[in-house]
Amino acid sequence: MRIKFETWALFTAVVREGSFLAAGRALGIDPASLMRRINRLEEDLELQLFSRAEAGLTLTVSGRRLFREVAPLVARMEAALARKGAPGGEGAGSAPGRFGLACSGDVALDLVRDAAARIGARHPAMRWDFRVTWTGDASSARDDTFPAVSMRARTHPARKSRTEIPLGNVRRLCAASPDFLETHAPLLSPADLEELPAALTQEAAGVVAARDRIREVFERNGEYFPVELHRPTLFRQARSAVQAALDGEAVAVGIPEALLRPFFLEGRLVPLLRDWCMRPMVLEADVSARWRSNPVVLEFLEAARTATNEGEVR
């Protein structure tokens, strides 16, 4: 019987973390998928490795014996992979042992979280370090211990000197709750937004004309319509802006469509101005020069590009 190394790595991770949930979070893998992999391992070995109870997992006698034999081998292999994947190390370009991912704001993180989980499932020896920054520029978060990739989602053009790699455009919409619409005049054009309370994210705010005014541009059939929002509330997290709309406090403006879609289906939010297009949000990656040829990084960027263009926000 031949069992893949990644299966043994998953087994030892579950033992170390003490539960499928904790191990899944550490590896960036869906806990249910991880549990299925361990169940399959037990079936292949015809051994029960864990005792399962509400209090958590405990190793059986067979599980403890197997862990003592397997854990040192997995540790040596993971160390070898980490050395090979380290920038400038022997065999650079192989899977890194740790992968640093900094995201400027929660929109960027939501767009790439599933992509990271999929790549992590294929490379279980790799560990993900996530960091969310609110500086407006995720690249400023990079340091010697966090070297690989910085992500950000922006609506306004990048400076020419920037080195980000564009991964795709994210469609943005406006939305409000049915209760809000019952107590306010109908929105027939973007101009109707100007006197309404608006909830935006700092990432999506675009060009700030003044402390109490935000400028947005809508487009339809080649016609451009600039709007100045006079009553904006800026949130650091997109979900906070959505919550303000759900609470009937404001119109959520410039929110990624996929983030709003579940609330549209539930009838808790109503899409507004669907005939008009807003400036899209562009997801960009800034990759450290030392990691640009790493195959796992390249695989992650391609997965993030696919997720962005499919609008996969979780």
Side-chain angles (χ1 to χ4, degrees):
M1 179 189 307
R2 179 175 297 178
I3 297 175
K4 294 181 179 179
F5 164 73
E6 63 178 337
T7 301
W8 296 123
L10 295 176
F11 166 66
T12 58
V14 173
V15 175
R16 287 195 304 267
E17 300 296 334
S19 71
F20 294 118
L21 180 61
R25 287 174 176 170
L27 296 172
I29 300 174
D30 176 37
S33 175
L34 179 57
M35 182 174 63
R36 288 193 294 270
R37 294 286 296 273
I38 297 302
N39 290 343
R40 192 176 306 122
L41 174 63
E42 291 179 317
E43 292 173 2
D44 292 340
L45 296 174
E46 297 182 349
L47 293 172
Q48 183 178 354
L49 303 177
F50 294 96
S51 295
R52 295 158 173 82
E54 291 184 1
L57 300 174
T58 56
L59 283 170
T60 63
V61 173
S62 298
R64 286 195 297 272
R65 184 182 304 116
L66 184 63
F67 180 74
R68 285 196 298 268
E69 295 175 358
V70 170
L73 300 176
V74 171
R76 286 198 293 270
M77 180 62 74
E78 289 182 336
L81 288 173
R83 287 194 299 272
K84 290 177 68 177
E90 181 181 356
S94 301
R98 301 190 72 85
F99 185 93
L101 178 63
C103 294
S104 176
D106 64 334
V107 171
L109 180 60
D110 282 336
L111 286 167
V112 301
R113 191 194 305 271
D114 285 353
R118 287 195 294 272
I119 303 306
R122 287 196 284 271
H123 302 278
M126 182 173 60
R127 298 291 182 269
W128 294 88
D129 288 335
F130 288 102
R131 180 183 299 177
V132 178
T133 67
W134 306 105
T135 61
D137 187 353
S139 61
S140 65
R142 191 189 303 123
D143 53 43
D144 291 340
T145 61
F146 210 76
V149 179
S150 299
M151 314 288 298
R152 71 164 293 158
R154 68 165 81 241
T155 57
H156 45 291
R159 297 191 299 270
K160 291 183 179 180
S161 61
R162 302 198 68 87
T163 60
E164 281 91 344
I165 302 169
L167 297 178
N169 293 335
V170 181
R171 188 182 183 198
R172 299 190 299 141
L173 295 178
C174 301
S177 69
D179 291 342
F180 182 92
L181 296 177
E182 287 182 2
T183 58
H184 293 80
L187 276 75
L188 302 178
S189 77
D192 296 327
L193 285 172
E194 292 190 336
E195 300 304 323
L196 293 176
L200 302 89
T201 66
Q202 293 177 354
E203 293 172 301
V207 179
V208 180
R211 179 180 295 272
D212 59 346
R213 290 187 298 169
I214 300 295
R215 185 182 307 140
E216 270 289 359
V217 178
F218 290 77
E219 183 269 334
R220 183 178 66 180
N221 299 327
E223 176 188 3
Y224 291 88
F225 197 105
V227 172
E228 284 194 353
L229 305 174
H230 299 283
R231 299 170 60 188
T233 301
L234 291 181
F235 295 93
R236 293 202 304 183
Q237 299 187 45
R239 281 181 168 77
S240 298
V242 173
Q243 189 60 52
L246 290 169
D247 294 339
E249 299 173 355
V251 176
V253 177
I255 305 298
E257 180 181 15
L259 192 61
L260 296 169
R261 192 179 300 129
F263 302 107
F264 292 159
L265 295 175
E266 295 171 1
R268 299 175 63 191
L269 290 177
V270 177
L272 306 175
L273 305 173
R274 291 300 296 265
D275 293 338
W276 293 84
C277 296
M278 302 185 69
R279 182 190 300 112
M281 182 174 284
V282 180
L283 183 71
E284 297 170 326
D286 186 358
V287 184
S288 171
R290 297 179 299 171
W291 289 78
R292 287 175 188 166
S293 62
N294 187 287
V296 176
V297 172
L298 296 176
E299 187 179 353
F300 163 73
L301 292 176
E302 185 58 35
R305 180 178 289 108
T306 300
T308 303
N309 293 326
E310 292 177 355
E312 293 184 4
V313 178
R314 295 290 188 264

